[in-house]
Amino acid sequence: MEKPAGHHSHPHPHHPHPHNHVVDGPTSRRDFLRVLMGGALAGASILDLAWHRAAWARSAAPTSEPNLFDIQKVANGIYFARAHPQAMLNCNAAIFVRSKDVVVVDAHARPSAAASLIGQIKREVTTKPVRYVINTHFHADHTQGDPAYRLTGQKVDFIASAATGKLLESLAVVRMKAEVATVPQQIDALRDQAAHAKSAAEKAFCADQVRQLQAYQAELKDYTPVLPTITFDKSYLLQDAAYDLHIEFHGHAHTAGDVVVYCPQARAVATGDVIHGFLPNIADGFPRLWPAAIDSIGGADFNTIIPGHAALQTGRTQMVNLRNYIEELTGRVEESRKAGLSLAEMQQRITVASLKSLHSNGYEEYLARMSALSHSRFSKVPPLQSGVNANIADVYGNIDRT
Ligand SMILES: [Zn+2]
Ligand SMILES: [Zn+2]
């Protein structure tokens, strides 16, 4: 998982499963168990296996199943899967259905979450096999689900930039271990919250969060990252009778290896964490270069942005808001550094009220809406200033990266 700022300043958006989907038609028990038992969970997560079995039992009953995603149609053959809030943050996915197969962009925080999406795609979108998984960047909430695709028994290629391949090789395991090491502390905090809970519903929420964290811990115990099988430096083209997908690197931004997936025929682009509706995460970022990368992406003709987090975006307003915020914040930190201010002084002076970009085009309100979307009524939504402070610290630390 990514560390401090933006959506990662509160990486545990507590939320139960609020969207109960009515399942259309009978679910194939064999398919469901094949996905789950195919190895994605085998031996790694007894808790989650039990939970998914229970989920299957509920879905097979004529009622509902707690899906982990909301899948909505973007254009012909193109879908957006918005991740429900979970104890460990999952990214959204873009789903591209082609003539004979499917391309999925990004793979969430754990194999069982990807297995869950694979099941939902089968039930709600298409029975065609997933042939390609594109990882927009190396962060855990976009890559740790990769093994689930390999275990479907279909031939799957994993596509990423060469830079992302290198980052996965050097950092995936180290980062995963560091993240897993924070779990006991999170569980303690939830048990404390449960002890002071004001309702049975809040208590149940805490218990469910603890269950998710324990399952995550167990599942990641024997985790081995999947390295990309196809890498490239600048761009890679997937052609099909249905439409083309241009996988493109536009420069250093959220990480050293971010790519976007652009479909000219649908005028849609999947952007990972370079463009999304939370505050940016700049912990591995390039503050001086990121706005130029967004400008370069914006040179293409599109009207729909499928982001790595928060809601689907129509038009470019929020893309421009994010771009201007990063540019303004970087400028402010730069000035402050020249004036000899310490980081703590910067965090005192660069306030939400003083940042023009937050007050243009409804950006502050939009961020509040997106933040609310990722929190339940039982979890505290952190004030915007705490996210801004994390961004200031990351810009301060990374300002000279090129
Ligand atoms: Zn990221
Ligand atoms: Zn992310």
Side-chain angles (χ1 to χ4, degrees):
M1 193 87 21
E2 311 163 29
K3 279 280 127 54
H7 59 282
H8 306 290
S9 65
H10 41 91
H12 321 294
H14 305 306
H15 209 306
H17 309 287
H19 308 275
N20 289 322
H21 276 255
V22 173
V23 174
D24 306 323
T27 304
S28 156
R29 180 167 202 274
R30 207 184 312 130
D31 277 2
F32 188 83
L33 289 181
R34 201 187 61 215
V35 169
L36 293 177
M37 303 298 284
L41 297 177
S45 174
I46 299 307
L47 280 172
D48 246 26
L49 193 55
W51 182 73
H52 279 280
R53 277 204 184 109
W56 178 81
R58 282 196 295 278
S59 76
T63 51
S64 61
E65 172 185 5
N67 289 333
L68 294 182
F69 300 87
D70 267 332
I71 298 183
Q72 78 183 83
K73 190 172 174 177
V74 172
N76 268 346
I78 302 178
Y79 298 81
F80 169 56
R82 185 172 68 79
H84 292 174
Q86 290 282 287
M88 297 308 293
L89 180 75
N90 283 322
C91 67
N92 299 327
I95 301 158
F96 295 96
V97 183
R98 311 197 306 165
S99 316
K100 298 200 174 71
D101 58 27
V102 179
V103 178
V104 175
V105 180
D106 281 337
H108 327 299
R110 49 205 280 216
S112 61
S116 179
L117 181 65
I118 292 167
Q120 265 191 271
I121 291 172
K122 263 209 171 110
R123 292 193 300 277
E124 299 177 24
V125 179
T126 179
T127 53
K128 293 173 187 173
V130 175
R131 176 68 184 80
Y132 296 98
V133 174
I134 300 166
N135 292 123
T136 57
H137 63 293
F138 79 100
H139 282 155
D141 55 324
H142 298 252
T143 55
Q144 278 179 182
D146 283 348
Y149 287 95
R150 187 161 268 173
L151 294 163
T152 55
Q154 309 284 347
K155 179 172 169 52
V156 183
D157 274 301
F158 297 85
I159 307 177
S161 67
T164 290
K166 283 193 193 115
L167 287 164
L168 278 169
E169 235 176 315
S170 60
L171 289 177
V173 170
V174 184
R175 292 278 181 100
M176 182 274 292
K177 285 187 174 155
E179 186 69 45
V180 170
T182 69
V183 168
Q185 205 183 326
Q186 294 174 50
I187 289 176
D188 285 349
L190 284 159
R191 290 198 168 129
D192 189 58
Q193 185 184 347
H196 301 95
K198 291 183 182 65
S199 66
E202 184 176 3
K203 247 194 176 91
F205 163 79
C206 293
D208 186 61
Q209 294 285 300
V210 169
R211 175 197 61 74
Q212 287 182 34
L213 289 168
Q214 287 171 334
Y216 170 86
Q217 217 172 8
E219 193 175 338
L220 272 286
K221 216 169 214 144
D222 301 314
Y223 170 75
T224 310
V226 170
L227 297 177
T229 54
I230 297 172
T231 60
F232 60 93
D233 286 330
K234 293 284 178 208
S235 68
Y236 190 83
L237 179 62
L238 287 177
Q239 278 183 305
D240 186 72
Y243 43 72
D244 301 325
L245 296 175
H246 298 257
I247 310 166
E248 301 169 346
F249 172 75
H250 285 268
H252 292 168
H254 170 69
T255 68
D258 309 281
V259 298
V260 299
V261 182
Y262 173 53
C263 179
Q265 289 88 347
R267 299 181 65 227
V269 61
T271 52
D273 288 357
V274 175
I275 302 166
H276 62 51
F278 294 142
L279 276 182
N281 176 291
I282 312 176
D284 292 316
F286 297 77
R288 281 203 182 109
L289 306 180
W290 195 332
I294 293 177
D295 291 341
S296 173
I297 294 163
D301 175 32
F302 59 84
N303 194 47
T304 304
I305 296 172
I306 303 174
H309 297 281
L312 190 70
Q313 298 183 13
T314 303
R316 296 174 175 225
T317 305
Q318 302 312 331
M319 174 185 95
V320 170
N321 284 345
L322 172 75
R323 181 217 174 276
N324 290 346
Y325 167 77
I326 296 167
E327 186 175 66
E328 184 184 17
L329 194 70
T330 304
R332 291 282 301 273
V333 169
E334 203 154 12
E335 272 167 33
S336 307
R337 194 172 68 162
K338 277 184 193 142
L341 299 190
S342 69
L343 173 60
E345 286 166 331
M346 291 181 199
Q347 288 171 327
Q348 291 286 320
R349 292 190 199 186
I350 307 175
T351 58
V352 167
S354 73
L355 285 162
K356 288 191 195 78
S357 54
L358 288 175
H359 307 286
S360 305
N361 308 314
Y363 193 34
E364 188 179 7
E365 293 73 23
Y366 183 77
L367 289 170
R369 267 208 317 283
M370 292 304 107
S371 185
L373 196 69
S374 67
H375 287 81
S376 89
R377 64 197 165 104
F378 299 121
S379 54
K380 280 197 198 98
V381 178
L384 187 56
Q385 186 68 48
S386 73
V388 170
N389 284 347
N391 282 162
I392 293 168
D394 289 336
V395 170
Y396 183 76
N398 292 336
I399 196 156
D400 293 321
R401 292 183 88 197
T402 53

